Amino acid sequence: MKTFTHTVTDELGIHARPAGHLVNMAKNFEDTIIIKKGDKEADAKKLLQVMSLGAKMGDTLVFEIDGENEDNTLLKVEEFVKENF
């Protein structure tokens, strides 16, 4: 399992458009991608779960990636998150 942490910098937090893009991208990977915010967690391949995190500017998220291609998946997801969240 690989992990990385990201603090949300978008003043709108994780709203529908970037969350939808994340979900669509995550579905391209076979690896499991879990996002954690405090005691909440979401499957990055499920829009309602990602939105239910209620991530706002300044919140810290932990991304856990598990699978056969986790190194590549981590790089792609981390790049996307830094550019969009």
Side-chain angles (χ1 to χ4, degrees), residues 8-60:
V8 178
T9 57
D10 188 305
E11 36 183 65
L12 298 175
I14 300 180
H15 52 91
R17 185 175 299 140
H21 290 303
L22 172 66
V23 169
N24 287 333
M25 183 197 60
K27 287 180 179 180
N28 291 317
F29 299 106
E30 292 182 21
D31 301 320
T32 302
I33 306 167
I34 301 295
I35 308 168
K36 294 185 176 185
K37 180 190 145 208
D39 61 347
K40 295 181 181 180
E41 69 177 51
D43 180 339
K45 298 178 183 180
K46 298 184 179 187
L47 182 61
L48 291 177
Q49 287 186 23
V50 173
M51 294 297 299
S52 73
L53 291 173
K56 296 178 174 51
M57 184 174 170
D59 287 345
T60 299

Side-chain angles (χ1 to χ4, degrees), residues 68-85:
E68 290 184 23
N69 298 310
E70 58 193 25
D71 290 323
N72 181 56
T73 302
L74 176 112
L75 291 173
K76 300 291 185 185
V77 173
E78 188 172 23
E79 179 182 333
F80 176 85
V81 168
K82 286 181 178 179
E83 291 177 5
N84 294 282
F85 296 165

